[in-house]
Amino acid sequence: MQRVIPLSHLCGMIRASRQALPLDYNLLMLFRRLPSLLLPGCLCIPAAFLLLAYPALTQKLPKAQAGHILLLPRSVVSGDRATLAVLDGNGRLTPGATVVFSNGDRLTTDATGRALFVAPLTPGVIFGSIAGREGRVPVTILPADETAATEIIVNTIPKFASLSDRFEISGRGFCGSADANQIAISGEPALVLASSPTSLVVLPPIDLEPGRASVDISCAKRNGPPIEVVFLALTLEADSSPLAPGVHRSLAVRVRGTTTKVALEARNLAPEIAELAGGASSRLFSQC
């Protein structure tokens, strides 16, 4: 079922583009996705990207200095392996990007835009960052004796997730090497971007349909419990013709995949170009 959710008006000059970069992950798959953010309890739609069209264009791999977003598993296990990823501003995995940690460790992403590393031995919290970029990402180091598992246990997984964005799974018994985790959503393989024995960051399959879907997890001959997630398709409806200064225009987001109310958040990532009525962000629920 489809429902239209009216968002706030935008004021000022908006630059609408008819060409934007598709998202091509790990040299094996080409994704043409809206680079939205998934926050706990809400689906977040960056307003700066909402007026862009996404034609199927073949793109070169991003340069190392284009690394903009660091993806770390939320937690890692002391002395065990884990995988991180670096994305560029358009959501593409970025090879050759340098990541530094607050404990002095330094590593570079491989040809897939990811990097395998061993977590420090001392439990606590460390911070990771992309070399030359502001902002740090925290990651919790858990004691090995508190996270040991002989089977896959899922503690948390979102009730709703976007078809076009990553989502997180926490638990125990996962593999630290991202590609060692086999995750199938409605029978189709998903891409694991970042991982540790206690945390996974997953991108859904590109051809997945909106609605409820099974999520099957396996690693090292261990199989996870049967779980389900409702995947949502978010589509922007807006007039993309040029705006004159001072002109107000309405935006609407169409949600497909559920008949339940969904919390949405629109963020303005280009306040120097346009204003979002109500401030830098706007929160609302879909209509039933």
Side-chain angles (χ1 to χ4, degrees), residues 37-54:
L37 303 177
L38 185 61
L39 301 180
C42 72
L43 294 172
C44 178
I45 309 161
F49 295 112
L50 284 179
L51 296 184
L52 300 180
Y54 287 78

Side-chain angles (χ1 to χ4, degrees), residues 16-264:
S17 171
R18 294 187 179 277
Q19 291 188 348
L21 297 176
L23 313 183
D24 48 346
Y25 287 87
N26 85 346
L27 306 180
L28 300 177
M29 291 177 282
L30 181 64
F31 292 83
R32 304 174 186 95
R33 300 177 179 273
L34 182 68
S36 59
L37 303 177
L38 185 61
L39 301 180
C42 72
L43 294 172
C44 178
I45 309 161
F49 295 112
L50 284 179
L51 296 184
L52 300 180
Y54 287 78
L57 301 176
T58 301
Q59 301 293 331
K60 296 181 180 180
L61 289 174
K63 296 181 179 179
Q65 57 268 31
H68 187 74
I69 301 169
L70 174 60
L71 297 181
L72 283 168
R74 191 173 296 271
S75 61
V76 296
V77 176
S78 170
D80 212 331
R81 297 195 298 177
T83 304
L84 62 79
V86 174
L87 310 182
D88 73 355
N90 294 294
R92 300 181 300 171
L93 283 162
T94 306
T98 301
V99 176
V100 294
F101 286 95
S102 55
N103 67 343
D105 290 347
R106 190 181 185 95
L107 60 154
T108 302
T109 57
D110 61 17
T112 73
R114 297 172 294 179
L116 186 67
F117 65 100
V118 175
L121 296 176
T122 305
V125 178
I126 60 172
F127 296 85
S129 61
I130 300 173
R133 295 281 185 182
E134 295 183 358
R136 303 191 302 170
V137 180
V139 57
T140 301
I141 305 169
L142 302 174
D145 57 355
E146 295 181 7
T147 57
T150 58
E151 60 182 354
I152 293 178
I153 300 172
V154 175
N155 293 332
T156 62
I157 190 169
K159 180 180 179 181
F160 297 106
S162 170
L163 287 174
S164 60
D165 201 6
R166 56 196 177 268
F167 65 96
E168 296 185 20
I169 304 172
S170 67
R172 287 184 294 170
F174 308 137
C175 289
S177 175
D179 288 337
N181 297 282
Q182 304 298 317
I183 299 183
I185 301 178
S186 287
E188 296 297 325
L191 177 64
V192 179
L193 297 171
S195 65
S196 77
T198 57
S199 180
L200 299 173
V201 181
V202 182
L203 189 72
I206 188 173
D207 294 326
L208 186 65
E209 293 295 325
R212 188 175 300 276
S214 61
V215 180
D216 300 312
I217 306 172
S218 63
C219 163
K221 298 182 179 180
R222 299 188 298 267
N223 295 317
I227 51 180
E228 290 186 336
V229 174
V230 177
F231 289 91
L232 305 178
L234 307 178
T235 305
L236 177 76
E237 295 182 350
D239 183 353
S240 60
S241 61
L243 278 175
V247 172
H248 291 200
R249 186 164 291 173
S250 296
L251 301 177
V253 175
R254 187 175 297 277
V255 179
R256 295 186 296 123
T258 184
T259 58
T260 306
K261 281 188 175 182
V262 179
L264 299 173

Side-chain angles (χ1 to χ4, degrees), residues 4-10 43-47 50-51 235-238 249-255 263-267 276-277 281-287:
V4 176
I5 304 91
L7 295 182
S8 306
H9 293 89
L10 287 173
L43 294 172
C44 178
I45 309 161
L50 284 179
L51 296 184
T235 305
L236 177 76
E237 295 182 350
R249 186 164 291 173
S250 296
L251 301 177
V253 175
R254 187 175 297 277
V255 179
L264 299 173
E265 179 180 2
R267 287 184 180 180
L276 183 65
S281 65
S282 179
R283 295 186 179 186
L284 66 164
F285 285 89
S286 61
Q287 300 173 352

